[in-house]
Amino acid sequence: MSHPRADTSSVASVFAALGDPTRLALLSRLADGPAQSVVELTRGTGLTRQGISKHLAVLEEAGVVSSTRVGRESRFAIQPAGLAEASRYLERASRQWDEAAARLRALVED
């Protein structure tokens, strides 16, 4: 079993990366299909390619997306493992809250 502090620090970087509406929108666009270039991801956003690139760098650093070089451009895709770790963390937290609520209910009802 891994140390809780290690789990929370890596998951915290995922949550921090996802805490921005632009990055969430990028992730949503990537979830809809194949890997996309910065140019493709910039279309319709009103942001510059440089701005999108910075957001993608944050998502990549958090392990939520990965990039692959194709010719002169990088193509970005969702990295399911980073999201799965965050999902597991939320499931654990949800169970802990449910257990705490059940203990409280038991105390109040007794």
Side-chain angles (χ1 to χ4, degrees), residues 4-75:
R5 172 80 65 196
D7 288 346
T8 56
S9 65
S10 63
V11 171
S13 68
V14 171
F15 290 140
L18 299 178
D20 180 271
T22 300
R23 291 192 284 271
L24 279 177
L26 286 170
L27 201 59
S28 179
R29 289 179 68 179
L30 289 170
D32 289 340
Q36 297 180 50
S37 68
V38 172
V39 171
E40 292 167 322
L41 290 167
T42 300
R43 285 190 197 116
T45 64
L47 297 172
T48 64
R49 286 186 303 229
Q50 182 181 10
I52 293 295
S53 293
K54 287 181 180 182
H55 284 293
L56 288 167
V58 171
L59 291 169
E60 192 167 20
E61 178 69 26
V64 177
V65 301
S66 61
S67 63
T68 305
R69 197 85 172 145
V70 179
R72 292 178 27 200
E73 65 184 11
S74 292
R75 302 197 58 77

Side-chain angles (χ1 to χ4, degrees), residues 99-110:
E99 292 166 4
R103 287 191 303 272
L104 180 60
R105 203 171 16 259
L107 285 172
V108 170
E109 291 172 355
D110 284 345

